[in-house]
Amino acid sequence: MGMLDTQADRIGRGETVEFRPTGGSMVPLVHSRQRVLVAPADPALVEVGDIVLARVSGTVYLHLVSAVDLPRRRVQISNNHGRVNGWTGHDRVLGICLAVDGIPRPARRPRCAGPRSGPWASRPAAWTCSRCSPCTPTR
């Protein structure tokens, strides 16, 4: 079992973990041996550009979400140089990278709660998302 498998097990138990992955596939976002903070994630909420810890075809990667397929409950995982590792189900997206060397990843926007429902009923008209009518601020 490799280091990423060990971290995946810890995240699967609900832990937020800090570790130093090796390799150059995520440069310049994550350099080899930079400290990353990864927390359990709700896979239905990940977006293109998020760095996630995910299992693809039996291998655990700390890579980018390059595409999202909500109807089929899956995401595409790729490195930062254009190599696509493949599609994986939401059940195999284990965690999301919150910080690299103590620097927070770009802020995430609030999520869509459906068209004009619940706490979003009074949201500003300028907020938009791609899933329904205006609801979340754009980045």
Side-chain angles (χ1 to χ4, degrees), residues 8-122:
D9 289 344
R10 292 178 62 199
I11 293 167
R13 292 191 302 265
E15 296 179 41
T16 296
V17 299
E18 204 170 61
F19 59 98
R20 293 178 182 271
T22 58
S25 65
M26 288 296 292
V27 171
L29 298 176
V30 180
H31 291 268
S32 189
R33 303 287 304 146
Q34 275 189 305
R35 189 179 74 239
V36 295
L37 179 67
V38 180
D42 179 345
L45 301 181
V46 298
E47 298 176 337
V48 171
D50 286 340
I51 298 174
V52 297
L53 192 70
R55 190 175 305 276
V56 182
S57 300
T59 302
V60 177
Y61 296 96
L62 183 70
H63 276 181
L64 289 170
V65 173
S66 52
V68 175
D69 183 354
L70 286 174
R72 294 178 69 182
R73 298 181 42 78
R74 65 184 188 153
V75 297
Q76 185 181 62
I77 304 298
S78 303
N79 70 18
N80 199 37
H81 304 284
R83 182 189 184 303
V84 175
N85 302 105
W87 289 93
T88 197
H90 282 181
D91 60 322
R92 295 188 174 163
V93 176
L94 307 166
I96 186 164
C97 181
L98 302 178
V100 177
D101 269 349
I103 300 169
R105 292 277 301 143
R108 298 173 56 81
R109 61 184 176 199
R111 299 301 177 167
C112 175
R116 304 281 179 209
S117 63
W120 298 98
S122 62

